[in-house]
Amino acid sequence: MTVERTSPSSVEARFSLSGQRPLQLERPVVTASGVLGFGAEVAELVDLRDVGLFVTRGVSLAARGGAGLPRMVEVPGGMMHAIGRENPGVDEVIDRHGAAWRTAPCAIAISLVAADLPSLGKLIARLESRADLVGADAYELDLTVSSDALGGRRWESSLEESTRFIDAARDSTELPLIVKVSPDVVGPAQFAGAAADAGADLLSVSGSPVGFLPNRTRAASALAEGEGELSGPLIRPRALAAVANAATSGALPIIGGGGIGSPADALDYFAAGAHLISLGSALWADADLPRAVIESARRAAASRGGSRVADLVGTALYRSTTR
Amino acid sequence: MGAPPVTAQLIAVGELSPGRNTLLLRVPELIATLRPGHALHLVHAEAGGYRLRRVAPVTKIDLLAGSVEVALLPRADGGRDSLAELTAGAQIAVVGPIGQPIEIDSASQQLLIVSDGEGFAWVRLLAASLISAGRSVVLLVEARTAVELPAASLLPEQVEIVVATADGSLGHQGSAADLISTYSDWADQVIASGERGLLNAVTSAARAASAIDRTTAKGRRSTRRAGGSPRLQLLISHEIGCGSGVCGGCTFSSANESVRLCREGPAVSALGLSAGTRRDS
């Protein structure tokens, strides 16, 4: 059989969410929340023309103090961090960064941090009331944040509470909602279905799972907060499993991420069912990674005779028997 | 990110003290920009290809040779450091300078430096540069036991070194902080670097000796001397991060200040230390 070769440059990389809440991304690459700050500082870091969606650092209604030091340590196969979702509160974030969001060469998603539903409603209301200054294209609901209703456990640890959270957000805005979970989420496929029913538009399986490490003396934890969030290659197989499981539901388009350090890693996520790729701490060492991922995806699609990067999505999907 | 990486060539792997390695790098592009308090980021792939930007304090500069020595900070997990296993000729991507130089007043002639084995990497270059500038330097250095102390030969002979060991195997038995009262009146400025326990002890001892926030016997006053740099500065170490001040991984926050160590650090004033550090590392 002869496969007709396509020129990589002609492969379509855009991602479109149609329907009531459309979202058009020029490239299938997302920057993970927190990695590149809020946005105004980004020009010095990566070229956002290579990015489809910039997700801001987490924003809360009121200012949140951060964790003590150490906040970030190296662990075998990656790193562990506990920043504490430090931010100066929604109004100050808008004042400082709104202008950069409005003029960004890519779509902007504001990552929302809330420990209870009233705070979430007020946070979104505040953003919507200043929408002309914000210029957001979507909101990311970070369900890896601690929930008061769950006694400090993450929202994602309860399907019921997560659904209420998404419901509350859906009632507050017409913008697309991206629901972010980590590989720790219980039952990704079931979760994806419930999130879709509650009004989510995308599921981001790119959050960091929980980790813990004693320090060298074993007299305390390596991070001041005790537990931390894991990033890097050590989480990649778990994240890929969660992406694949969520993708089998077909309920929502998936953003996949966790430990992507190379274009080849990104291709694994497409193959596991991700429509979009989330890049994280690897950007600190390789600012050209977004462009390399897109070029690699185009080449991979072309080599398969495809005309769209979307043709790579789910090529390795399996029916999970483990969840 | 930020300044682009440049390629450094490894000349040799050395040691500050047992188990605390240094890399001597040829990187002439950066030499002229480096000052005491600066670090470099080493962008190095671990097994599996994952690259982080690791913080490496600058410990020595040789302008003529175009070389810089940096210290490898111990990993939190106690893991093997593949950088220390590189051989001469290896190439390493580096970014720098990271952080700000340590502020020393032009009027300060007598400097007291306090460190432990962890913190010595941040103050070795400072001590040498102060001696070169004709200042007087006393180093109070502590370790658990004598063999863990940095070698005296790493410093100019003009530096007066006073040793404290926890087991009493050399010098004063106890902490270097115990000795601060002896020198606090002599010192125009105090710089401390090390683990949190030492920094807390230094802060307490300096406060007790009126070296921070009360008038001293010489009439000096306050954490920040009029028109000058803080009387007591603490150098806070961090391991990894973005190096651009946006990831929040090295932010030291207290009631008094918020310092991104990779940008405004490594020095912080002493007053906020207890608020900004919840647990010893």
Side-chain angles (χ1 to χ4, degrees):
Chain A
M1 186 177 77
T2 303
V3 176
E4 188 176 341
R5 300 293 172 186
T6 313
S7 165
S9 61
S10 68
V11 170
E12 179 60 72
R14 272 181 290 193
F15 170 85
S16 293
L17 198 62
S18 55
Q20 287 181 308
R21 296 178 291 273
L23 180 66
Q24 175 104 357
L25 307 181
E26 292 300 313
R27 290 150 290 270
V29 171
V30 176
T31 59
S33 173
V35 174
L36 298 178
F38 289 108
E41 323 91 330
V42 167
E44 137 181 31
L45 309 177
V46 297
D47 189 344
L48 289 184
R49 290 173 299 183
D50 296 329
V51 171
L53 180 68
F54 175 83
V55 183
T56 70
R57 192 164 160 177
V59 180
S60 53
L61 182 63
R64 280 172 68 110
L69 291 172
R71 290 180 169 191
M72 193 177 280
V73 296
E74 193 170 357
V75 298
M79 67 168 186
M80 188 168 66
H81 44 95
I83 311 299
R85 304 299 196 281
E86 180 178 29
N87 77 93
V90 61
D91 281 315
E92 192 166 336
V93 171
I94 294 172
D95 291 343
R96 284 193 208 167
H97 302 281
W101 296 340
R102 293 194 303 277
T103 57
C106 66
I108 298 290
I110 299 175
S111 186
L112 307 183
V113 173
D116 56 68
L117 299 185
S119 304
L120 176 67
K122 290 175 187 171
L123 172 58
I124 294 176
R126 196 68 192 139
L127 286 160
E128 301 272 303
S129 72
R130 302 184 70 186
D132 56 328
L133 298 174
V134 174
D137 299 284
Y139 294 129
E140 178 187 81
L141 303 179
D142 187 352
L143 299 190
T144 67
V145 169
S146 298
S147 158
D148 287 350
L150 294 169
R153 286 186 293 125
R154 292 172 160 197
W155 289 103
E156 67 175 358
S157 66
S158 164
L159 182 59
E160 184 182 351
E161 290 299 326
S162 292
T163 304
R164 292 180 63 211
F165 193 86
I166 299 164
D167 259 334
R170 184 72 287 156
D171 288 344
S172 305
T173 182
E174 292 301 313
L175 283 181
L177 293 178
I178 302 164
V179 171
K180 184 171 86 171
V181 296
S182 80
D184 285 342
V185 69
V186 178
Q190 184 189 5
F191 193 97
D197 292 343
D201 299 291
L202 289 138
L203 180 66
S204 179
V205 188
S206 64
S208 296
V210 174
F212 177 81
L213 188 74
N215 70 3
R216 289 188 302 278
T217 66
R218 298 190 177 86
S221 53
L223 293 172
E225 288 294 288
E227 286 185 347
E229 301 182 281
L230 295 167
S231 298
L234 79 165
I235 71 167
R236 199 162 59 233
R238 283 198 64 209
L240 282 164
V243 165
N245 190 274
T248 56
S249 73
L252 289 170
I254 307 291
I255 301 174
I260 296 175
S262 71
D265 298 339
L267 294 181
D268 287 345
Y269 275 90
F270 283 124
H275 297 74
L276 299 160
I277 300 303
S278 178
L279 302 179
S281 56
L283 291 169
W284 299 341
D286 185 359
D288 293 327
L289 187 57
R291 184 181 310 143
V293 165
I294 295 164
E295 289 174 358
S296 175
R298 282 188 159 128
R299 282 197 304 273
S303 72
R304 298 170 61 93
S307 60
R308 307 172 305 153
V309 170
D311 294 332
L312 299 173
V313 176
T315 55
L317 265 184
Y318 63 103
R319 187 61 60 179
S320 171
T321 57
T322 57
R323 291 180 189 258
Chain B
M1 303 206 335
V6 299
T7 301
Q9 186 177 44
L10 179 64
I11 300 170
V13 177
E15 212 173 52
L16 287 179
S17 58
R20 301 185 194 284
N21 289 108
T22 57
L23 303 180
L24 183 61
L25 303 170
R26 189 181 315 284
V27 56
E29 300 95 321
L30 296 180
I31 293 292
T33 66
L34 299 175
R35 304 283 183 276
H38 279 150
L40 295 181
H41 267 184
L42 309 179
V43 188
H44 176 66
E46 294 293 327
Y50 185 56
R51 294 191 298 170
L52 281 172
R53 291 172 53 141
R54 298 179 55 190
V55 178
V58 175
T59 55
K60 192 177 180 184
I61 297 168
D62 188 332
L63 287 170
L64 291 177
S67 65
V68 56
E69 181 191 80
V70 296
L72 299 179
L73 299 175
R75 292 171 55 128
D77 61 4
R80 180 181 64 84
D81 195 329
S82 60
L83 280 163
E85 296 171 357
L86 295 176
T87 55
Q91 295 192 327
I92 303 171
V94 303
V95 182
I98 300 296
Q100 296 296 320
I102 297 166
E103 289 183 41
I104 302 295
D105 270 6
S106 56
S108 294
Q109 293 301 312
Q110 298 171 168
L111 284 299
L112 178 63
I113 299 175
V114 188
S115 91
D116 57 14
E118 292 274 337
F120 183 73
W122 290 98
V123 297
R124 180 189 180 194
L125 179 60
L126 174 68
S129 69
L130 289 170
I131 293 297
S132 295
R135 321 282 182 91
S136 298
V137 176
V138 171
L139 171 67
L140 308 181
V141 60
E142 71 172 33
R144 281 185 305 176
T145 188
V147 295
E148 296 180 1
L149 288 163
S153 60
L154 296 170
L155 293 169
E157 60 184 18
Q158 297 94 325
V159 175
E160 180 183 340
I161 302 172
V162 182
V163 168
T165 51
D167 65 359
S169 52
L170 191 66
H172 167 74
Q173 182 168 11
S175 168
D178 302 340
L179 306 168
I180 286 192
S181 58
T182 307
Y183 295 92
S184 60
D185 213 29
W186 169 84
D188 295 315
Q189 283 184 255
V190 183
I191 314 291
S193 175
E195 293 192 355
R196 301 302 145 73
L198 175 66
L199 298 184
N200 283 323
V202 168
T203 304
S204 298
R207 180 167 287 132
S210 303
I212 302 182
D213 51 0
R214 282 178 281 171
T215 305
T216 69
K218 288 183 180 175
R220 289 185 296 253
R221 173 159 187 82
S222 85
T223 54
R224 185 168 286 276
R225 303 159 71 210
S229 49
R231 177 99 196 280
L232 172 58
Q233 296 180 67
L234 307 176
L235 309 186
I236 309 285
S237 195
H238 69 291
E239 291 181 33
I240 54 174
C242 70
S244 299
V246 301
C247 75
C250 67
T251 304
F252 170 86
S253 296
S254 73
N256 304 83
E257 60 191 331
S258 181
V259 176
R260 298 170 301 173
L261 298 176
C262 71
R263 280 293 174 106
E264 294 96 32
V268 304
S269 69
L271 290 179
L273 183 67
S274 57
T277 55
R278 298 184 192 170
R279 195 172 299 177
D280 280 2
S281 61

